[in-house]
């Protein structure tokens, strides 16, 4: 085995003292994230979270049951789905019931085509099980049951 | 990403810290029973949750876990003589029993009560299975003894090893929760390792390298499901339980023994990884135990006479670039345990979580941190006992199972994740 010649030329350098020399640079501030409420139960959760300070996240309700149109939380503006997914890193779908099943399918398929990561949050509700079944095929990651705080936590963690 | 204060909250487990107080509500592995094999055997230094202690087994087989340092002038009692039902300091001969009570001070008159007023801090040390467990908290809150299946099955059905890992407990634990690394880092081991190979599940694993994940709340912690395509209309699920604060299990493969880990803080920059393998309904075979002792499966090879891995920081974990190139080992490092420890130690003793860039597939880690933080704060602020203390939270198993596509993971594995004596694990 070759002998290390410098302190940092072997794994031994992973000390607390050495860690101070890791290159520090400003983090890329944010990731473009889209959060969509798929039903009425989810709408109130998404509205609540939209009020926090976020970087490049946008929050929507369904503009049409098939998910081809979205309504932006805040402005109430109605927008077609496809352009809203341009340049996006992740889409988080939030469901409390199975009402949004066909919208989840549309959004999920659009994300797959574009290579956008999908996540799903299933709110704790009487219809959790149905909501879960509706989301499962389209969300790469599901959190169940989840609440408003989980949504905030997830978005913070991924720097949304 | 975590703010600095939260990273500190979660990673600091010494006395008086909030996460330290949380850990001090649970029974924790302190030693393997093999470390104190006989009455009057050599005492063993134990550092756990940043406290320095010494463990010994007295002439009557009683286990003691006491302050490492003599009350007289602070000498380490590790140098002491373990004889005649007590540990005697090598310096001036003060003698302590297994509860830390000083029973003899040779320089003082025998009739006086000087010794009676000297007592070292001590903690209970109890053998359950192959592990000696301790509880470092307030005696008033001491929970029932551990119920984990790996220490409750008959001795011939279980095997536990341990290794020192040179990093904070949390980044080690997070490796046990993070199912998404398995497809990469450990990809070389499924075909070759005698403790994994040959199961039907391995085929599903290999045929679908982009699993979907489901992070479900469970009473004592989380169930993290990784879902892959199986036969038409079916999914293959691998379900990893995490029980608070530091217990994880790996989903089983075929009839191989089931394994898992305890990630125990030594101090804030080191942890003990206890690695167990057991079969719920049959004895381990000689071949299996030999493979485990040789460091296969999720175990590792230690430097003889120690619990430090042979492949460690000082030798770059015996990195083998040729094996990496040939694709035998994804990272060029041998064995699942050291594949994990090498990468986790390279993050630094306590990784700076303000700099990470997590992605949605890290949801299990995100959720686990959130539950730890909430439990630590609820304990500190309201005195709320944390999850994972109840025996039923500990009667848990990992599972691997094929379910119809429309069946929910939680419904599908409800029975499978409960440890039931005499019932085999659910495995594919
Ligand atoms: S220091 Fe231990 S007896 Fe004096
Ligand atoms: Fe691993």
């Amino acid at each position: 085995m070759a002998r290390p010649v410098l302190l940092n030329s072997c794994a031994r350098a992973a000390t607390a003292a050495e860690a101070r020399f890791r290159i520090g640079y400003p983090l890329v501030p944010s990731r473009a994230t889209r959060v969509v409420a798929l039903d009425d139960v989810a709408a109130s959760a998404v509205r609540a979270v939209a009020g926090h300070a976020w970087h490049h996240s946008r929050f929507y309700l369904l503009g049409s049951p098939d998910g081809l149109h979205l309504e932006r939380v805040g402005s109430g503006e109605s927008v077609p789905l496809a352009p809203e997914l341009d340049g996006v890193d992740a889409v988080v779908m939030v469901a409390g019931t199975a009402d949004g099943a066909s919208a989840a399918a549309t959004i999920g398929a659009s994300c797959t085509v574009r290579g956008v990561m999908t996540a799903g949050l299933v709110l704790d509700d009487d219809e959790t099980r149905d909501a879960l079944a509706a989301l499962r095929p389209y969300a790469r990651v599901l959190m169940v049951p989840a609440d408003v705080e989980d949504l905030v936590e997830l978005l913070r963690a991924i720097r949304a | 990403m975590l703010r600095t204060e939260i990273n500190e909250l979660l990673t600091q487990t010494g006395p008086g810290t909030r996460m330290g107080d949380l850990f001090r509500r649970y029974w924790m592995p302190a030693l393997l029973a093999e470390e104190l094999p006989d009455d009057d055997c050599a005492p063993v230094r134990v550092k756990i949750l940043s406290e320095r202690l010494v463990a010994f087994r007295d002439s009557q087989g009683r286990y003691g876990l006491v302050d490492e340092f003599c009350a007289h002038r602070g000498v380490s009692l590790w140098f002491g003589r373990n004889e005649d039902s007590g540990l005697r300091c090598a310096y001036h001969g003060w003698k302590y029993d297994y509860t830390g009570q000083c029973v003899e001070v040779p320089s003082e008159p025998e009739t006086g009560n000087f010794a009676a007023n000297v007592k070292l801090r001590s903690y209970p040390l109890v053998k359950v299975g192959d592990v000696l467990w301790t509880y470092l908290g307030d005696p008033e809150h001491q929970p029932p003894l551990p119920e984990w299946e790996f220490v409750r099955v008959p001795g011939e059905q279980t095997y536990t090893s341990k290794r020192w890992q040179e990093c904070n407990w949390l980044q080690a634990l997070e490796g046990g929760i993070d199912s998404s690394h398995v497809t990469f880092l450990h990809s070389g081991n499924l075909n070759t390792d005698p403790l994994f190979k040959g199961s039907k599940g391995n085929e599903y694993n290999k045929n679908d390298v982009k699993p979907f994940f489901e992070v479900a709340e469970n009473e004592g912690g989380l169930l993290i499901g990784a879902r892959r395509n199986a036969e038409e209309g079916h999914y293959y699920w691998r379900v990893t339980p995490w029980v608070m604060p530091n217990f994880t299990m790996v989903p089983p493969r075929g009839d191989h023994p089931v394994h898992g880990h305890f990630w125990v803080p030594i101090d804030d920059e080191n942890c003990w990884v206890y690695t167990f393998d057991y079969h719920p309904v049959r004895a381990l075979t000689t071949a299996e135990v030999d493979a485990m002792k040789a460091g296969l499966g999720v175990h590792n090879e230690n430097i003889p006479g120690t619990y430090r891995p042979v492949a460690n920081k000082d030798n770059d974990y015996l990195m083998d670039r040729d094996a990496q190139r040939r694709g035998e080992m994804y990272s060029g490092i041998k064995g699942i345990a050291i594949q994990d420890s090498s990468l986790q130690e390279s993050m630094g003793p306590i990784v700076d979580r303000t700099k990470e860039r997590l992605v949605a597939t890290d949801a299990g880690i995100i959720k686990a941190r959130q539950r730890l933080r909430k439990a630590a704060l609820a304990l500190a602020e309201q005195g709320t006992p944390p999850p994972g203390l109840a025996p039923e939270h500990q009667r848990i198993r990992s599972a691997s199972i094929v379910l119809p596509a429309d069946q929910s993971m939680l419904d599908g594995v409800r029975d499978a994740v409960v440890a039931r004596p005499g019932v085999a694990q659910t495995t594919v």
Side-chain angles (χ1 to χ4, degrees):
Chain A
M1 154 138 311
R3 275 193 169 273
V5 286
L6 290 172
L7 174 62
N8 71 341
S9 56
C10 74
R12 193 70 238 164
T15 60
E18 186 275 344
R20 291 202 314 269
F21 296 99
R22 294 183 182 209
I23 300 173
Y25 43 81
L27 287 155
V28 179
S30 62
R31 311 259 299 261
T33 307
R34 304 289 180 253
V35 182
V36 186
L38 296 177
D39 50 60
D40 296 341
V41 179
S44 62
V46 169
R47 278 207 182 88
V49 174
H52 295 235
W54 300 107
H55 302 284
H56 289 112
S57 298
R58 290 186 197 159
F59 299 82
Y60 309 87
L61 314 179
L62 290 184
S64 61
D66 60 8
L68 285 171
H69 284 80
L70 304 175
E71 181 191 317
R72 282 198 62 174
V73 172
S75 70
E77 184 190 349
S78 175
V79 290
L81 169 67
E84 293 303 301
L85 296 179
D86 283 342
V88 163
D89 296 302
V91 169
V92 181
M93 293 182 270
V94 186
T97 70
D99 295 351
S102 72
T106 310
I107 296 168
S110 307
C111 288
T112 306
V113 172
R114 291 172 175 77
V116 174
M117 169 59 80
T118 50
L121 264 73
V122 179
L123 301 174
D124 201 359
D125 196 83
D126 301 342
E127 294 177 53
T128 298
R129 187 158 299 151
D130 300 334
L132 186 57
L135 262 184
R136 180 173 295 115
Y138 310 107
R140 177 68 58 184
V141 174
L142 272 170
M143 286 169 100
V144 54
D147 56 18
V148 171
E149 202 184 323
D150 289 304
L151 179 55
V152 171
E153 201 91 22
L154 175 69
L155 294 176
R156 282 217 183 108
I158 65 172
R159 298 176 190 275
Chain B
M1 178 204 103
L2 287 182
R3 283 180 287 132
T4 307
E5 316 85 86
I6 308 294
N7 200 29
E8 287 172 357
L9 167 71
L10 298 182
T11 54
Q12 297 174 357
T13 59
T17 61
R18 285 166 298 180
M19 192 53 65
D21 289 344
L22 181 113
F23 267 98
R24 285 168 175 76
R25 283 297 185 106
Y26 301 87
W27 286 97
M28 283 290 142
L31 304 114
L32 290 177
E34 67 181 27
E35 295 180 72
L36 293 176
D38 305 302
D39 296 350
D40 288 334
C41 63
V44 179
R45 296 184 187 94
V46 174
K47 191 176 187 191
I48 180 169
L49 301 175
S50 300
E51 295 189 43
R52 286 187 60 170
L53 307 166
V54 66
F56 65 103
R57 177 166 161 180
D58 78 6
S59 315
Q60 289 147 73
R62 294 174 301 194
Y63 293 107
L65 184 63
V66 304
D67 189 340
E68 183 187 334
F69 303 102
C70 181
H72 179 211
R73 288 184 54 219
V75 155
S76 172
L77 292 168
W78 179 80
F79 292 95
R81 301 176 62 90
N82 184 17
E83 59 192 13
D84 304 329
S85 299
L87 187 59
R88 191 185 286 280
C89 180
Y91 213 2
H92 315 94
W94 291 26
K95 183 176 173 183
Y96 303 91
D97 73 8
Y98 74 107
T99 68
Q101 178 62 52
C102 184
V103 289
E104 211 186 308
V105 175
S107 61
E108 297 298 302
E110 261 167 57
T111 48
N113 64 351
F114 181 85
N117 291 318
V118 178
K119 188 170 189 302
L120 297 172
R121 179 181 289 259
S122 75
Y123 300 110
L125 189 64
V126 180
K127 181 176 180 302
V128 182
D130 296 331
V131 175
L132 300 180
W133 301 80
T134 188
Y135 170 79
L136 267 60
D138 183 345
E140 204 184 309
H141 300 302
Q142 183 173 312
L145 285 171
E147 276 295 325
W148 310 102
E149 193 173 28
F150 80 100
V151 287
R152 290 296 184 178
V153 292
E156 65 276 12
Q157 293 174 214
T158 187
Y159 173 80
T160 306
S161 67
K162 85 175 198 181
R163 66 178 165 83
W164 172 29
Q165 182 160 328
E166 298 178 61
C167 73
N168 183 259
W169 78 280
L170 184 62
Q171 72 211 50
L173 166 88
E174 287 177 348
I177 291 178
D178 163 24
S179 320
S180 71
H181 80 277
V182 178
T183 320
F184 298 93
L185 181 60
H186 307 314
S187 54
N189 302 72
L190 282 190
N191 302 325
T192 52
D193 195 300
L195 295 168
F196 303 134
K197 69 181 181 188
S199 82
K200 181 85 197 327
N202 292 358
E203 298 308 313
Y204 301 127
N205 253 84
K206 280 179 266 179
N207 293 337
D208 184 356
V209 296
K210 279 212 160 231
F212 282 61
F213 296 100
E214 205 157 310
V215 180
E217 293 244 14
N218 199 26
E219 274 187 22
L222 295 174
L223 292 174
I224 297 132
R227 177 190 108 204
R228 291 175 171 83
N229 290 318
E231 286 74 18
E232 187 61 32
H234 289 79
Y235 292 132
Y236 168 61
W237 287 92
R238 295 182 59 73
V239 182
T240 299
W242 165 61
V243 182
M244 291 187 61
N246 59 341
F247 174 92
T248 55
M249 278 183 78
V250 181
R253 296 187 184 277
D255 192 45
H256 292 301
V258 198
H259 34 266
H261 301 92
F262 252 105
W263 316 87
V264 183
I266 295 174
D267 54 31
D268 295 345
E269 300 189 353
N270 296 276
C271 62
W272 288 123
V273 183
Y274 286 82
T275 302
F276 59 82
D277 238 311
Y278 70 97
H279 198 292
V281 295
R282 66 159 170 84
L284 303 180
T285 65
T286 314
E288 283 168 343
V289 175
D290 288 348
M292 292 166 194
K293 287 186 176 159
L296 292 165
V298 287
H299 301 273
N300 72 291
E301 209 183 325
N302 285 323
I303 297 169
T306 77
Y307 294 98
R308 188 177 199 211
V310 168
N312 59 51
K313 242 184 189 195
D314 292 336
N315 52 28
D316 273 335
Y317 309 92
L318 304 174
M319 160 68 78
D320 182 345
R321 292 289 178 193
D322 290 330
Q324 187 178 32
R325 240 174 256 122
R326 289 194 300 270
E328 284 161 30
M329 306 168 195
Y330 190 79
S331 76
I333 283 164
K334 199 173 119 189
I336 289 199
I338 306 301
Q339 285 162 6
D340 283 325
S341 69
S342 57
L343 301 190
Q344 291 156 5
E345 291 180 4
S346 78
M347 296 156 86
I350 306 176
V351 68
D352 180 357
R353 290 183 177 76
T354 65
K355 291 184 179 165
E356 355 164 268
R357 299 183 69 180
L358 297 186
V359 291
T361 46
D362 294 315
I365 289 176
I366 295 168
K367 187 78 193 177
R369 291 176 186 174
Q370 183 209 83
R371 291 208 63 182
L372 285 169
R373 189 196 71 218
K374 281 186 169 175
L377 293 178
L379 176 62
E381 286 156 16
Q382 287 99 40
T384 313
L389 291 172
E392 55 276 20
H393 295 176
Q394 301 176 1
R395 289 191 201 110
I396 196 152
R397 277 180 193 169
S398 56
S400 59
I401 191 168
V402 173
L403 295 175
D406 57 3
Q407 193 173 2
S408 112
M409 172 185 84
L410 276 181
D411 290 345
V413 302
R414 186 148 291 139
D415 292 335
V417 295
V418 177
R420 280 161 302 170
V423 177
Q425 71 273 36
T426 301
T427 182
V428 179

